[in-house]
Amino acid sequence: MTRALPYGRQLIEDDDIAAVVAVLRSDALTGGPAVTGFETALRSVTGARHAVACSSGTAALHLAAMALELGPGDAVIVPSVTFVATANAARYVGAEVVFADVDPATGLMEPQHLEAALKRCGTARPRAVFPVHLNGQCVGMAELGELARRRGLFVVEDACHALGSVQGGRLTGACSSSDMAVFSFHPVKTVAMGEGGAVTTADDRLAERLRLYRSHGITREAADFLQPAEAFDAGGQPNPWYYEMARPGFNYRASDINCALGTSQLAKLARFKTRRTELVEAYGAALAPLAPLVQPVGRRPDCVPSWHIQVVRIDFAAAGTNRAKVMRALAERGISTQVHYLPVHRQPYYRALYSDTALPGADAYYDRCLTLPLFVGMENAEVERVVAALKAVLS
């Protein structure tokens, strides 16, 4: 029987299940050694000095905005082709969002797009840029990071699509050209935690803030206490029950259950990346006869992607159809597809908040993009099946 193909799914194996069961049989379901173990493993695969685990990629973005102390009057530059969470994180702290355009072939923000967005900040003070690595490919961070530094901007990489990607010989997440990088471990990502996220950074001070804000803003470190009369006994020893909250944070902790799964999955990252690359190459060969009607996304020559999703660009008008019809026809054949993404500047909240911005690259990318199935457990024959179905639907 032909199986249904989702656009993405996790691969959970027996050792992943065993890792979770071991935590369930332990004394610590949260706040225990599995969290530290996951952070150590993530530092290893990203080359980061610090890795701070949290409950989701969205939480990671919010924590990064808080750690940078962004707030009202500040402007954060965000490419419009991304998930809404990238922009929303700026709004969570009261900052303004200025949307940047992207390359219509790759969906990635380039330095010229950042320069154009900076000219549209109005009275808001530009403080940060959140470049987004899309589909597994990376923004040109060396150039973008250098421009951001010259403009006095903090840089937070939204690397939720790019765990394991390499650019210019540098691992994504090492933060060689940024202040922080954020990751998601949602089930459709390359590595799954169920739900989970993380922030990496090379900055000790930012790492300390991230850890503080992910757990209600509470500290139990005696050196940080601000109320000595409350904190210490007559002998100068910290009271064993005492903690302080100087600033409010959130309950953004990741559990040991999620982190045990994440650590087990991180050990397979190289294998997962290799298999996803093989499938993307199989797609490339199978799709070639459909050009120019159907084309893969443009490639950056300086990036070795860890592919997250398989996006193609389709000239629906030339095919005499539209995206909705194509998606429905593929679904009837057991093939699920998706769109990544409706440009965020076209979402009703942001349209009401800001006047419409002309971002032709983002609109052009969105008008043609379609996400086809890609996951580690997929067979090459299923790639052929997807492309054959797409060809039949378009013709």
Side-chain angles (χ1 to χ4, degrees), residues 339-361:
V339 175
H340 294 86
Y341 298 96
L342 172 67
V344 186
H345 77 282
R346 292 165 63 167
Q347 291 289 352
Y349 171 81
Y350 287 106
R351 272 189 156 148
L353 190 64
Y354 308 117
S355 59
D356 277 346
T357 304
L359 300 176

Side-chain angles (χ1 to χ4, degrees), residues 63-334:
L63 287 171
M66 294 176 70
L68 293 176
E69 299 182 329
L70 302 176
D74 295 335
V76 179
I77 313 301
V78 177
S80 188
V81 176
T82 184
F83 185 54
V84 294
T86 316
N88 289 352
R91 296 300 298 151
Y92 293 160
V93 295
E96 302 299 327
V97 178
V98 178
F99 290 107
D101 208 358
V102 300
D103 183 281
T106 64
L108 297 170
M109 181 171 65
E110 302 289 351
Q112 66 269 24
H113 303 131
L114 174 56
E115 289 274 26
L118 288 170
K119 295 175 182 177
R120 291 187 275 103
C121 287
T123 59
R125 177 179 59 157
R127 288 283 313 285
V129 56
F130 288 9
V132 175
H133 305 319
L134 190 67
N135 307 329
Q137 291 201 106
C138 297
V139 170
M141 285 305 304
E143 298 163 303
L144 198 83
E146 194 276 332
L147 172 59
R149 291 287 179 260
R150 282 194 281 111
R151 296 303 187 112
L153 302 174
F154 294 114
V155 181
V156 178
E157 300 173 68
D158 184 333
C160 292
H161 283 203
L163 179 67
S165 296
V166 178
Q167 186 182 56
R170 294 184 292 271
L171 288 164
T172 300
C175 302
S176 54
S177 299
S178 66
D179 297 283
M180 288 175 278
V182 302
F183 294 92
S184 167
F185 303 98
H186 183 275
V188 298
K189 299 299 194 298
T190 303
V191 163
M193 285 175 65
E195 285 283 1
V199 188
T200 61
T201 184
D203 189 303
D204 297 346
R205 184 177 57 116
L206 289 174
E208 182 180 349
R209 289 180 184 174
L210 291 165
R211 295 187 183 103
L212 184 71
Y213 288 135
R214 77 170 169 185
S215 189
H216 302 283
I218 288 173
T219 181
R220 298 179 186 273
E221 297 293 327
D224 297 330
F225 291 160
L226 302 176
Q227 301 179 142
E230 297 274 357
F232 302 97
D233 63 19
Q237 294 296 309
N239 289 318
W241 69 85
Y242 190 74
Y243 59 85
E244 285 187 355
M245 188 199 78
R247 295 183 181 180
F250 292 83
N251 182 359
Y252 279 166
R253 297 184 299 270
S255 77
D256 282 57
I257 299 169
N258 297 102
C259 286
L261 175 58
T263 303
S264 180
Q265 290 261 298
L266 281 174
K268 307 173 188 187
L269 177 60
R271 170 161 64 96
F272 288 177
K273 177 180 176 178
T274 297
R275 182 56 186 150
R276 285 172 174 269
T277 299
E278 291 171 351
L279 291 166
V280 169
E281 290 173 351
Y283 265 117
L287 288 166
L290 301 185
L293 195 66
V294 182
Q295 295 178 308
V297 293
R299 301 289 182 88
R300 283 194 61 95
D302 60 342
C303 180
V304 181
S306 179
W307 291 106
H308 164 46
I309 47 179
Q310 171 63 53
V311 176
V312 293
R313 294 173 294 142
I314 301 174
D315 190 340
F316 295 103
T321 186
N322 61 54
R323 184 163 46 201
K325 289 180 180 178
V326 170
M327 293 179 74
R328 292 187 184 108
L330 290 173
E332 290 172 358
R333 292 163 169 79

